[in-house]
Amino acid sequence: MTNNQFDQFFREQLKDHSAPVPEGLWEKIMPKDKKRPTAFYLPKNVGLGILIASLIIAGLYGGFKYEQATTNNLVNTNIDNNRKPIDQNIKHTNSEGIRIENTTIVSSIKKETNSTNSMVANNATKVVENQAIISKNSIEYNLANKIKADNYSYSFPAKSQSKNQIKILTENIIDNKKSSASTTLIQNKNEKGTLSTVTLNGSADENYTAFTKINPSFPILLNTTQSNNHFSLVNKTLVYNAHDKKIQGIIICPNIKGRSSFNTDWGIEFYASPDYALKYVSNISAAQQYLDKKDSSEQMQISYTAGFRLIKPLNDNFLLKAGFQYSQLNQKFSYRNENEIKTTTVITARTIIRSAGDTVLVSDTSVLQQIGYKIKTVHNQFRSIDIPVTIGYQFGNDDLKFGVNAGVVFNLSSWYQGEILDTTYTSVPMNKVSNALYKTNIGMGLYTSFSLIKRINNNTHLFFEPYFRYNLSNMTNSISPYNQRFHIGGLSVGLRFDLNR
Amino acid sequence: MNKILLFFFTMILLFMSACTKELSINTNTFTPYQGNAFNDTTWLKNITGISPITALADTLAQNTLFTDSIDLWKDKAMIFGDSLEVDFKGGSCTNNAGTLQDGKARIDIIRLQKKGDFIKAYRPNTSNMYLLETSSAFFIRITKNGAELALAPGASIKIKYSDISEAEDNMQVFYGKESLPLSTSTFDPANTWVRSLDTSWIKTWSTQSNYGIKKGYELEAKSLRWISAHRALDPNQPKTNIYAILPPNFTNKNTAVFAVFDHNRTVIDMHGDYASRSFTTSNIPLKTKLLLVSISKFGPDLYLGTRLVNDVGTMVNYSFTPEKKSLTQILAFLNSL
C-alpha cells in the first residue's frame, strides 16, 4: 500500500464518471452573465486564454502556498455518510497540531460560484455541480486563498465503494501528545508505533465501521488552531447525493463562455415593414411648370415590404443575411381637371295641358349636365421583388441584442400600376403594357439598418429593425424628360428562428 | 411558440390585406362650380330684372341697322337699297313734351324680314297670344341730341318696301307694345304686337323693272319704334298647346324657345311654364309643321337646340337637347330660317 493508493482508487473509479447538470441550473447563473458588458467584450479565444492563464497562475500560487503550509496544515477529513458536522469537535481542539498526510478525497463537490477560484461550495446557495478531485494540494490551495465555507461535510458515495481495495496510510498522522480525551485513541495508536491499516471493501457503512475500528472516535477531532488557520471549512457541507439524485440521461454542456443559448449556426427570419418612400426628381428636358404640376399631383403614402432572410452567423457577432422580399410603394395621384361636364340621366314627370280640360302626364328622360372640376384620385403602386444581402454586427446578452446591418439590395423586377401626369397635363395610365417611362429593373440599392432583438424563447426572437434603402439608379428610362427614384425608409418587424436545434 | 407564429403571420396578412383594400379605391370626384349659370336649374315664376335671358336677347340682336340724318323741318325720302324707302315729312316730330322739333336729327331703322330676324330682335309674331303672320317689321327711331322723338299727332311716316315673298292683300299695320319705361334690353317680356286702330289693309304696289315685276307694301305708320305688317292666322283652325321639354339645365332664366312655322312667316315665343318646367305656347293649329328652336346662354357659352315638328297634334310635347354653339353658328342658323 502506497500513499497514492487512495488517490488512485478514486481517480480510476471516477475518471469516466460524469455528473449531469441539474435542470434549470443555467438559468440560475444568469446573473453572472448579466454582469458582462452589453457592448464589446473579449472574443471567445481570448477569454479562454485568460481563463487558462488564470488557472496556471492559480496553480503556481497554490503550490507555493502548499509548500508554506506543509508543516502545520490540517486536513479535516470527516467520513460520515450521515453527514455529521465536525465543527463542534474542532472547537475543542487547541493548538496541538494534527497532521494527516497523503490524504486524498475524491468526491463530487458542490462548488460556490460567487468566487472564480473557489472549489468549495455552500450548499445553501446557488451551486454548480462539477466532477472534481480534491487533492491535498488543491485543498491547501483553497485554504491558502482563505475560502470560507459553512457546513462542510463529506460522505462516501454508497455505490462506488463496492469491491474497492483501498488502503489508507495513517503513518505519522498525529504527533500531538496533548490531545483531548477524544483524541486519546489516536495518540495511543501513535505511541504503539503501529501502522494501522484498514481495508475498505464494503459498502459505505462497512467502510465507516472499518474506520471506526482504528479510530473509534471518528469523526476525527483536529487541532483547532491549525485547522482554523488553514481550514476555514467550518459548517461547510459537501452533499454528494444532493446532485447525484438529479442525474439525467443527457449532458448539456455550455459553451466555453457559458453565455448564450442562441443558436449561432444559421437561422431564418420573416418580416414585414411599413415603409415610406422619399421621391427624388431631377429635370432633364421637362418644363418646370410640368414638374411642379406633377409633383403637386403625387403624394407618397405608407407602403410596405415583406420577405424573409436566411441568416448565417460568421461568429458570435457578425451575421450574413440574404433573402427575398416583395415591396410595394404606394403613391396617391390626384389631379384636378377643370371644366368637366358631368351628365346625369333624370326622369321627369310633367303635367301638360294640351287644351282646356285635356291634361296629360308626361314622363321624360333627359340628361342633367353639370359643369365643374374633377379631382381624379388614383392609387399608384410601384412594386418590386428584391434580394437583400446584408452583413450585420450584433451585440448584447441572450435576452436583448442590438445590431447594425449594412448591405445591398438587388432588384429582380419592378412593375407599376396607376396613372401619371404626362407633359400635356393629362393623366395617362401606366401599367405593365403601357409603361413607357419606368424601367422594369431599377438596379441596386444600398441598405442600412439598426436592429433590436428580443428573445421570446430559446429558438425564437422578435426583432424590430428600422432601415433605410438608398437606390442607386433612376427608375425612369432614357426617354423620360425627368429622372426619378425613390429612397425608402421603414421599420421591419419580424421573427427570427434558430434552425440548428 | 405556435401562438406567436400564428399571431405574427395573421398580423402580416391583415396588414397586407388592409393595404390592398385601401389601395383599390380610386376616385374621380366631381365638384360642380358654385355660381355657374349652367348648374342653376331653378325656374322663375316671372322673369324680372336682369337675367341670362336678357343677356341672350342682347347678344342675338344682330339685325342690320340703317342710319341716316334728317332735318326735322324738311321732307326727306331715304332709300336703303332697292327694297326700302322711308319718306319723312318735315315738322312731324315732337319731343316728350309734345313740342315740335326742328333741326338735325338722327334716324335709325331696323328691318325684320326673315323669321330669324324676328328671333334676333326677340319680336315674335303674336298679338296677345294670337298668332300672326308677318310681312316684315321695322324699328324706326328718331333722336335729337340723344333724346328720342315721337311723331306728332296726325303725322305719319311712310314705309315703302318690297318683301321677300308675294305681297298679300290682307296685311294690317301693327305696332309693337313695349314695357314702360322702355326696356334697356332687347328682351322685353311685355312685347306684343298690337293692331293699329286703322285696320285698313296695307297698300301693295308693283312696278315693272328690268328684273321683272316687283311687288311690295306701302304702309303709313302713325307712331315710331316698332311697326309691322301682320295678319292673323286662320282663327278657325283647331288649335292645341305645345310643349318643348329641355334638360333641367335649360330654364326660363337662360333659355328662349321659339316655334318657327314652316309655311308661314310666323315665329312664336314659347314662354317658360313654371309648373311643368317646360316651354309652351298655345293656339298652335293642328297639323302645323314647325321647327322648335331653343337658344340658351350660360355665361359666355351659347347653346342651340332644334326640333322639327311635322305634324302638331300627333303629340304635343317635344323633347330635345340643345348643343353648345358659337354665336356665329347661331346667327347663321337664324339667318337661314
Side-chain angles (χ1 to χ4, degrees):
Chain A
M1 183 178 296
T2 66
N3 293 340
N4 295 326
Q5 282 180 322
F6 184 82
D7 297 345
Q8 291 173 350
F9 167 75
F10 284 101
R11 286 195 185 100
E12 291 173 0
Q13 294 300 317
L14 301 177
K15 64 181 180 181
D16 295 328
H17 178 73
S18 62
V21 179
E23 186 177 1
L25 182 60
W26 297 116
E27 284 74 11
K28 294 180 180 180
I29 64 173
M30 274 298 179
K32 184 178 178 182
D33 271 13
K34 289 181 178 177
K35 292 177 182 177
R36 288 187 177 132
T38 56
F40 300 95
Y41 56 90
L42 292 174
K44 179 192 297 184
N45 293 337
V46 177
L48 180 60
I50 291 175
L51 179 61
I52 295 173
S54 300
L55 292 175
I56 293 172
I57 294 172
L60 293 174
Y61 183 73
F64 173 72
K65 296 300 291 183
Y66 172 75
E67 290 299 325
Q68 284 185 331
T70 43
T71 55
N72 293 317
N73 279 350
L74 298 177
V75 176
N76 185 5
T77 304
N78 187 359
I79 306 173
D80 183 7
N81 56 2
N82 292 323
R83 304 176 187 174
K84 296 179 180 178
I86 62 174
D87 56 330
Q88 291 181 351
N89 293 328
I90 292 174
K91 291 177 182 177
H92 292 291
T93 59
N94 293 320
S95 60
E96 293 85 358
I98 300 175
R99 178 182 170 195
I100 302 175
E101 293 183 348
N102 300 325
T103 300
T104 301
I105 302 172
V106 180
S107 174
S108 293
I109 298 174
K110 292 190 174 181
K111 182 177 64 176
E112 283 189 350
T113 60
N114 54 1
S115 173
T116 304
N117 295 323
S118 175
M119 298 178 68
V120 182
N122 182 346
N123 59 4
T125 61
K126 296 178 180 177
V127 295
V128 174
E129 287 192 20
N130 192 9
Q131 184 71 19
I133 299 174
I134 301 177
S135 66
K136 181 177 180 181
N137 287 339
S138 65
I139 294 174
E140 290 291 334
Y141 166 77
N142 291 333
L143 295 173
N145 283 281
K146 298 180 180 179
I147 299 169
K148 295 182 179 179
D150 297 330
N151 300 325
Y152 183 88
S153 65
Y154 175 79
S155 61
F156 271 107
K159 295 180 180 178
S160 63
Q161 300 306 314
S162 61
K163 297 179 181 180
N164 290 338
Q165 295 295 325
I166 299 174
K167 294 180 180 179
I168 299 176
L169 180 61
T170 58
E171 184 179 22
N172 299 322
I173 292 176
I174 300 171
D175 56 1
N176 184 6
K177 297 179 180 179
K178 296 179 181 179
S179 61
S180 62
S182 61
T183 61
T184 302
L185 178 59
I186 300 173
Q187 285 178 333
N188 290 338
K189 290 194 311 189
N190 290 332
E191 288 173 354
K192 292 177 181 178
T194 60
L195 182 63
S196 299
T197 302
V198 62
T199 300
L200 303 178
N201 56 1
S203 64
D205 293 336
E206 292 170 346
N207 294 338
Y208 177 74
T209 303
F211 257 107
T212 55
K213 288 180 180 178
I214 61 170
N215 188 3
S217 62
F218 188 83
I220 301 170
L221 302 180
L222 302 178
N223 180 292
T224 303
T225 301
Q226 291 183 346
S227 63
N228 286 341
N229 287 340
H230 304 288
F231 288 88
S232 298
L233 302 177
V234 179
N235 297 326
K236 172 62 69 178
T237 303
L238 295 177
V239 184
Y240 176 85
N241 289 329
H243 76 274
D244 190 36
K245 297 175 181 177
K246 300 177 181 178
I247 293 175
Q248 297 179 351
I250 59 172
I251 300 173
I252 301 174
C253 296
N255 61 25
I256 193 165
K257 290 184 178 180
R259 52 181 292 270
S260 175
S261 63
F262 172 60
N263 189 332
T264 57
D265 284 342
W266 67 292
I268 189 170
E269 59 187 20
F270 298 93
Y271 59 93
S273 162
D275 299 333
Y276 188 81
L278 304 174
K279 185 178 67 175
Y280 172 77
V281 177
S282 61
N283 192 3
I284 299 176
S285 60
Q288 188 59 41
Q289 183 182 4
Y290 163 71
L291 288 182
D292 293 341
K293 200 89 172 177
K294 175 182 178 298
D295 183 62
S296 63
S297 66
E298 297 172 350
Q299 180 181 6
M300 298 308 298
Q301 294 192 311
I302 294 297
S303 308
Y304 67 87
T305 296
F308 67 92
R309 290 187 288 243
L310 295 174
I311 306 170
K312 178 59 184 175
L314 301 179
N315 56 29
D316 282 352
N317 300 113
F318 286 96
L319 305 171
L320 182 64
K321 300 179 184 179
F324 184 85
Q325 70 180 25
Y326 167 82
S327 296
Q328 177 171 309
L329 302 182
N330 298 319
Q331 182 188 65
K332 181 181 179 182
F333 172 77
S334 181
Y335 185 68
R336 173 169 169 160
N337 283 319
E338 301 290 348
N339 296 321
E340 290 281 332
I341 300 291
K342 178 184 179 183
T343 59
T344 305
T345 301
V346 294
I347 300 175
T348 56
R350 296 177 171 86
T351 301
I352 62 174
I353 303 172
R354 292 192 292 189
S355 59
D358 185 7
T359 301
V360 178
L361 182 64
V362 176
S363 293
D364 176 67
T365 300
S366 59
V367 174
L368 169 66
Q369 289 184 316
Q370 289 179 295
I371 187 168
Y373 61 88
K374 272 185 181 177
I375 296 179
K376 191 171 190 176
T377 302
V378 178
H379 291 275
N380 294 339
Q381 296 164 357
F382 302 83
R383 299 184 175 102
S384 64
I385 294 177
D386 307 293
I387 294 180
V389 179
T390 64
I391 187 167
Y393 179 86
Q394 68 178 27
F395 53 88
N397 55 42
D398 289 343
D399 189 54
L400 188 64
K401 292 179 185 296
F402 303 91
V404 290
N405 306 282
V408 293
V409 179
F410 299 99
N411 180 245
L412 290 181
S413 179
S414 295
W415 65 101
Y416 319 96
Q417 183 176 2
E419 293 193 13
I420 57 174
L421 189 69
D422 71 357
T423 53
T424 62
Y425 299 98
T426 56
S427 60
V428 295
M430 61 170 181
N431 49 49
K432 292 179 180 178
V433 178
S434 63
N435 173 36
L437 291 181
Y438 296 142
K439 299 175 183 175
T440 56
N441 189 310
I442 61 173
M444 190 173 70
L446 302 180
Y447 178 93
T448 183
S449 68
F450 174 80
S451 53
L452 174 67
I453 305 154
K454 169 69 177 173
R455 186 174 71 174
I456 298 175
N457 56 38
N458 284 339
N459 296 324
T460 309
H461 305 260
L462 175 66
F463 69 91
F464 299 87
E465 187 172 302
Y467 75 91
F468 185 76
R469 172 179 172 179
Y470 182 89
N471 286 321
L472 298 174
S473 302
N474 293 318
M475 60 184 295
T476 48
N477 57 29
S478 58
I479 68 170
S480 173
Y482 57 87
N483 288 327
Q484 177 173 298
R485 71 177 75 171
F486 291 119
H487 306 309
I488 306 163
L491 173 63
S492 293
V493 180
L495 290 176
R496 179 185 294 182
F497 302 99
D498 303 329
L499 298 179
N500 65 339
R501 289 190 176 181
Chain B
M1 177 65 179
N2 290 333
K3 291 181 179 178
I4 294 173
L5 285 175
L6 180 63
F7 176 78
F8 180 74
F9 289 111
T10 302
M11 287 298 103
I12 290 179
L13 288 175
L14 286 175
F15 171 67
M16 298 179 72
S17 62
C19 290
T20 303
K21 181 180 180 182
E22 197 275 335
L23 291 173
S24 64
I25 301 173
N26 293 331
T27 59
N28 206 352
T29 307
F30 176 83
T31 304
Y33 290 131
Q34 296 297 320
N36 189 288
F38 193 79
N39 299 327
D40 185 4
T41 59
T42 59
W43 285 65
L44 296 177
K45 289 185 177 179
N46 297 298
I47 302 294
T48 55
I50 298 175
S51 64
I53 194 67
T54 60
L56 171 65
D58 293 337
T59 302
L60 296 177
Q62 301 283 336
N63 289 301
T64 303
L65 176 66
F66 302 100
T67 301
D68 204 346
S69 176
I70 58 174
D71 187 338
L72 292 174
W73 211 249
K74 294 182 179 177
D75 296 345
K76 184 176 183 179
M78 294 166 281
I79 300 174
F80 303 96
D82 61 347
S83 61
L84 177 61
E85 177 182 337
V86 177
D87 294 335
F88 175 76
K89 291 183 178 179
S92 61
C93 289
T94 62
N95 58 12
N96 287 337
T99 306
L100 289 173
Q101 299 293 307
D102 58 0
K104 294 291 184 180
R106 167 177 167 163
I107 183 168
D108 299 318
I109 302 173
I110 297 173
R111 180 183 183 183
L112 308 182
Q113 285 185 293
K114 298 180 179 179
K115 288 176 276 191
D117 295 338
F118 287 86
I119 293 175
K120 288 189 288 185
Y122 216 96
R123 288 285 154 178
N125 306 117
T126 54
S127 177
N128 295 322
M129 300 306 296
Y130 291 99
L131 307 185
L132 302 176
E133 182 182 21
T134 187
S135 58
S136 293
F138 302 91
F139 176 80
I140 300 175
R141 180 174 61 188
I142 299 173
T143 56
K144 179 182 178 184
N145 299 325
E148 191 167 337
L149 303 179
L151 290 177
S156 64
I157 188 169
K158 186 170 70 177
I159 304 169
K160 185 179 181 182
Y161 66 96
S162 61
D163 202 11
I164 57 175
S165 61
E166 285 292 324
E168 302 291 342
D169 294 332
N170 53 354
M171 290 293 175
Q172 294 175 307
V173 176
F174 282 72
Y175 299 103
K177 180 185 176 183
E178 300 177 81
S179 302
L180 288 176
L182 296 175
S183 173
T184 57
S185 171
T186 304
F187 175 77
D188 184 2
N191 87 88
T192 188
W193 295 107
V194 178
R195 190 173 62 178
S196 171
L197 295 177
D198 181 4
T199 60
S200 60
W201 309 122
I202 298 174
K203 296 179 182 176
T204 61
W205 56 266
S206 62
T207 58
Q208 184 69 39
S209 68
N210 296 332
Y211 303 100
I213 297 175
K214 194 174 183 180
K215 295 181 180 180
Y217 299 95
E218 181 180 304
L219 66 85
E220 281 198 14
K222 298 187 181 302
S223 67
L224 297 178
R225 295 185 69 84
W226 289 105
I227 307 155
S228 67
H230 278 102
R231 67 175 179 182
L233 290 179
D234 185 2
N236 298 321
Q237 283 187 297
K239 298 179 178 61
T240 185
N241 302 329
I242 61 171
Y243 293 83
I245 298 174
L246 301 180
N249 303 92
F250 302 90
T251 68
N252 58 348
K253 285 197 297 188
N254 52 43
T255 300
V257 180
F258 300 93
V260 181
F261 282 54
D262 185 59
H263 297 299
N264 306 98
R265 205 183 324 170
T266 301
V267 173
I268 307 299
D269 172 37
M270 301 177 71
H271 66 274
D273 180 40
Y274 180 83
S276 62
R277 302 297 195 273
S278 58
F279 297 88
T280 184
T281 188
S282 56
N283 297 324
I284 303 297
L286 295 176
K287 309 294 184 182
T288 301
K289 180 180 181 181
L290 50 82
L291 180 69
L292 299 180
V293 177
S294 73
I295 304 172
S296 307
K297 180 175 175 63
F298 302 98
D301 300 324
L302 295 173
Y303 285 74
L304 174 66
T306 59
R307 169 71 187 265
L308 179 63
V309 179
N310 289 315
D311 186 6
V312 170
T314 304
M315 58 184 297
V316 296
N317 52 292
Y318 311 101
S319 300
F320 57 100
T321 301
E323 295 177 351
K324 189 176 181 179
K325 300 288 185 181
S326 67
L327 177 61
T328 304
Q329 290 174 311
I330 292 175
L331 292 176
F333 170 76
L334 294 177
N335 291 334
S336 67
L337 292 176

